[in-house]
Amino acid sequence: MDPGEVEKATVDQILNTIVDGMRADYPPEMTLAAVTAMCNSLDFTEANFEVQGERDAIMNSVCQAAQCPVVAVREKAFECLATIAAFYYSKLPPYVTNLFQLTVNAIKTDVEEVGQQAIEFWSTVCDTETEYADDETCTSFNVIAQASPSLIPVILETLSKQSEDADEESWNIAKAGAACLDAISQTIEDAVVPHVLPFVTAGIQSSEWRVKESAIMAFGMILDGPDSKTLTPIVTGALPVLVQCLQDPSTHVKDTCAWVIGRICEFHTSAITPAIFPHMVTALTLCLDDQSSGVASQACFAVHNLAMACEEQADDKTNVLSSFMPTMLQKLLNVVNREDWDENNLRSTAYEAVNKMVENSAEDMLQVVGQVLDESCTRLEKTFNDNMEQQERMTLQANLCSLIGVCINKLPEENVKQYSDRIMQSVLMVFNTKGSVAHEDAFLAIGYLSGKLEEEFGSRYVQFLMPPLLLGMQNTEEYAVCLVAVGVAGDLCRALGKGIAPYADEIMRCTLEILRSESVNRYVYNFVDM
């Protein structure tokens, strides 16, 4: 329901019932139900939060619930406080002192589930203040800046509460604390550095893996927020130690360290000196062979970000990628065939790194890109014969079609021509699988190929492409495929010129059907309408 449709008198009746149900002397089942109801009702309480007496009653009842002996009630109460912070930030200042004590006690002494929700309160305040910083119509009370000297040490303590055997998907208090530190960093920017750096310096050389990993994690979490001028000398000084940590005996330390180096490649490439660069690349290359799929995946992430940083040098005669690209590409193309390729998103992350290296490679690497295209075509051809599960086949075909498209886009026309028959034959076979996740990437590859060959594409391939292309344009249920198919139709019109005439009626019919449809995704409609 729209909150504006409910009369305040009705909201008042509901709130009175809920607040009464949150009394400490009621059975815990009733208290939990009441706190849950409060959490779900906050959308409707804007008028009540404008009245101090009513606001105080709500806040007092929720704060009392946050001290209930029952874990589930406390957990839901802190979730309620986080929602209040999101909806009614401007009303928080009178309650901050009390909320600070409640949340810090929960983070330090309560069970993990409650501590995580208490941390979420501060993450929500951070998000709101960061948003307000860019909005002149909103007033920030700088709650985080005032709380940081006392709050950050408490958050840093949570980072060393890692679970040794937790999987990547599981959420715990250490991850909640790390996310909160990242949010604090983006909120107070440079001011976060003096609060965190001593913790990093004290722990990064520790022989205890939890202490070392938490120090590295803390460093990674403040990389996006402070000004580059503040962090560059610090990052430059830390990189030799981080590169060393890539060979640490602890898998957790290596995993986090590779992720941090990836963040450095994303936000602070200017801090990577020529002296440390080759050592960093060598260490990342070794990590690709690590027994842990998580470490290998984070190394792929770092290589991807390093390649992404070369975007402005992608058309130069040479760039920093050229010094290690042939070896690194071969390593990455081996990684995608590891037996644990399906863990930690390893295969997709490796292919993304390959794509970005090809995309931002310099002119002196065109021969290497040609070799990657040849290898990709061979691998795509094998997917039609290899005995593998359907879902694995479709995902692998999507990765390979994406890589083939990137290679086509990078290479000159004369280099692409020698592969065009193989590309078309394989890509057209991808369309034989109905509903394949690879269709979108297959269409993109064809779009790049038509742009390279132009009129020659029309005379050689367009008649074979039209049936799957028209089906793609009619596939409004999978709007991403429909959108790309429409884009390819536009590419063909530009590439073929008058040569598109024999197919124009069918393309126009499909286009008009999209425009007439009331169920098609609006994004597709707007794209077609342009």
Side-chain angles (χ1 to χ4, degrees):
M1 296 177 66
D2 184 341
E5 294 177 358
V6 185
E7 294 182 0
K8 186 177 184 299
T10 303
V11 175
D12 290 347
Q13 285 182 315
I14 294 171
L15 277 179
N16 286 335
T17 306
I18 291 172
V19 169
D20 180 67
M22 293 167 69
R23 281 167 38 187
D25 57 338
Y26 279 163
E29 294 84 0
M30 182 181 290
T31 309
L32 177 60
V35 177
T36 303
M38 175 64 79
C39 208
N40 294 334
S41 302
L42 289 169
D43 262 341
F44 298 85
T45 59
E46 184 174 0
N48 305 89
F49 267 81
E50 292 298 328
V51 180
Q52 183 175 341
E54 296 179 20
R55 183 171 68 245
D56 287 345
I58 294 170
M59 293 299 294
N60 288 338
S61 63
V62 176
C63 288
Q64 284 177 4
Q67 301 168 76
C68 175
V70 180
V71 170
V73 174
R74 296 199 302 275
E75 183 180 357
K76 183 57 71 171
F78 280 111
E79 181 184 336
C80 200
L81 288 173
T83 305
I84 290 170
F87 288 173
Y88 307 113
Y89 166 83
S90 64
K91 307 301 180 185
L92 282 183
Y95 310 100
V96 165
T97 301
N98 187 35
L99 291 174
F100 179 85
Q101 290 302 326
L102 275 176
T103 52
V104 166
N105 287 341
I107 296 167
K108 294 178 76 168
T109 64
D110 214 325
V111 298
E112 277 211 10
E113 294 84 355
V114 178
Q116 288 171 38
Q117 287 298 335
I119 291 171
E120 186 60 29
F121 168 81
W122 291 106
S123 294
T124 303
V125 175
C126 288
D127 293 342
T128 304
E129 292 194 346
T130 301
E131 183 182 335
Y132 280 17
D134 298 323
D135 189 342
E136 294 180 357
T137 64
C138 298
T139 301
S140 172
F141 296 102
N142 299 315
V143 172
I144 296 299
Q146 296 175 56
S148 284
S150 301
L151 176 63
I152 290 177
V154 176
I155 297 298
L156 289 172
E157 283 180 21
T158 67
L159 301 186
S160 58
K161 296 180 179 179
Q162 314 95 317
S163 175
E164 189 164 12
D165 53 358
D167 61 63
E168 281 293 313
E169 302 302 321
S170 63
W171 190 250
N172 54 45
I173 196 164
K175 290 182 180 179
C180 185
L181 184 58
D182 182 38
I184 292 171
S185 175
Q186 294 184 55
T187 305
I188 64 174
E189 300 176 339
D190 285 6
V192 77
V193 176
H195 295 302
V196 175
L197 211 54
F199 178 83
V200 176
T201 305
I204 202 165
Q205 299 285 11
S206 174
S207 57
E208 166 58 43
W209 77 263
R210 281 187 171 85
V211 175
K212 180 181 282 192
E213 193 272 344
S214 63
I216 295 170
M217 177 64 77
F219 188 65
M221 285 302 176
I222 65 169
L223 291 174
D224 182 17
D227 190 89
S228 252
K229 291 179 181 176
T230 302
L231 280 182
T232 294
I234 298 170
V235 172
T236 299
L239 260 172
V241 181
L242 291 171
V243 168
Q244 237 179 1
C245 290
L246 286 175
Q247 301 304 315
D248 195 87
S250 166
T251 296
H252 292 81
V253 170
K254 287 186 289 187
D255 188 306
T256 301
C257 190
W259 173 78
V260 171
I261 289 176
R263 298 259 289 181
I264 290 170
C265 293
E266 183 177 1
F267 299 117
H268 303 285
T269 47
S270 61
I272 304 172
T273 64
I276 195 61
F277 181 79
H279 301 289
M280 184 183 80
V281 171
T282 300
L284 289 173
T285 306
L286 291 173
C287 284
L288 293 174
D289 290 328
D290 197 274
Q291 291 182 350
S292 164
S293 59
V295 174
S297 183
Q298 294 296 357
C300 292
F301 165 74
V303 173
H304 172 277
N305 287 349
L306 184 59
M308 188 167 62
C310 297
E311 185 176 6
E312 293 182 3
Q313 292 82 45
D315 297 323
D316 292 357
K317 292 192 178 299
T318 189
N319 62 29
V320 297
L321 295 180
S322 301
S323 62
F324 66 93
M325 184 168 163
T327 303
M328 184 64 77
L329 283 175
Q330 190 56 57
K331 278 281 186 185
L332 290 167
L333 290 172
N334 288 338
V335 165
V336 300
N337 291 328
R338 282 175 50 148
E339 291 184 1
D340 57 353
W341 63 266
D342 58 338
E343 297 176 10
N344 294 292
N345 207 28
L346 179 56
R347 176 175 283 174
S348 294
T349 309
Y351 269 118
E352 287 168 8
V354 173
N355 284 0
K356 194 56 66 174
M357 289 193 76
V358 169
E359 187 179 323
N360 290 340
S361 60
E363 285 184 24
D364 59 351
M365 288 291 107
L366 288 179
Q367 183 179 353
V368 174
V369 174
Q371 293 168 356
V372 172
L373 177 56
D374 182 61
E375 176 68 16
S376 302
C377 289
T378 301
R379 293 188 181 202
L380 183 57
E381 289 159 356
K382 285 183 65 179
T383 63
F384 303 109
N385 303 315
D386 283 359
N387 184 22
M388 62 177 75
E389 292 182 2
Q390 182 75 348
Q391 189 60 43
E392 180 189 348
R393 177 182 287 107
M394 291 191 298
T395 305
L396 182 55
Q397 287 175 350
N399 288 326
L400 289 166
C401 286
S402 176
L403 178 53
I404 286 171
V406 172
C407 290
I408 292 170
N409 196 42
K410 189 69 182 180
L411 291 168
E413 179 186 348
E414 59 270 18
N415 295 69
V416 173
K417 274 185 178 181
Q418 59 182 307
Y419 298 103
S420 60
D421 285 351
R422 290 179 67 191
I423 292 170
M424 283 303 298
Q425 185 175 2
S426 296
V427 172
L428 288 173
M429 287 179 68
V430 170
F431 293 118
N432 291 337
T433 305
K434 187 176 180 181
S436 172
V437 296
H439 286 184
E440 180 182 350
D441 293 294
F443 276 129
L444 285 170
I446 286 175
Y448 288 131
L449 187 62
S450 68
K452 288 289 179 179
L453 303 185
E454 295 186 331
E455 292 183 8
E456 186 178 343
F457 184 91
S459 62
R460 295 177 64 180
Y461 306 122
V462 73
Q463 60 181 315
F464 306 106
L465 172 63
M466 290 314 297
L469 179 63
L470 295 173
L471 285 174
M473 293 179 70
Q474 293 165 12
N475 188 5
T476 54
E477 291 184 5
E478 297 179 75
Y479 80 90
V481 174
C482 180
L483 179 65
V484 175
V486 170
V488 171
D491 293 339
L492 288 176
C493 293
R494 285 185 289 272
L496 275 59
K498 293 181 179 179
I500 199 68
Y503 312 100
D505 286 350
E506 284 298 307
I507 291 174
M508 284 302 298
R509 179 182 61 79
C510 289
T511 304
L512 290 171
E513 285 179 4
I514 292 171
L515 293 172
R516 290 193 190 104
S517 173
E518 294 183 0
S519 61
V520 71
N521 184 283
R522 293 294 91 187
Y523 188 50
V524 177
Y525 180 90
N526 293 336
F527 184 81
V528 174
D529 201 34
M530 287 191 293

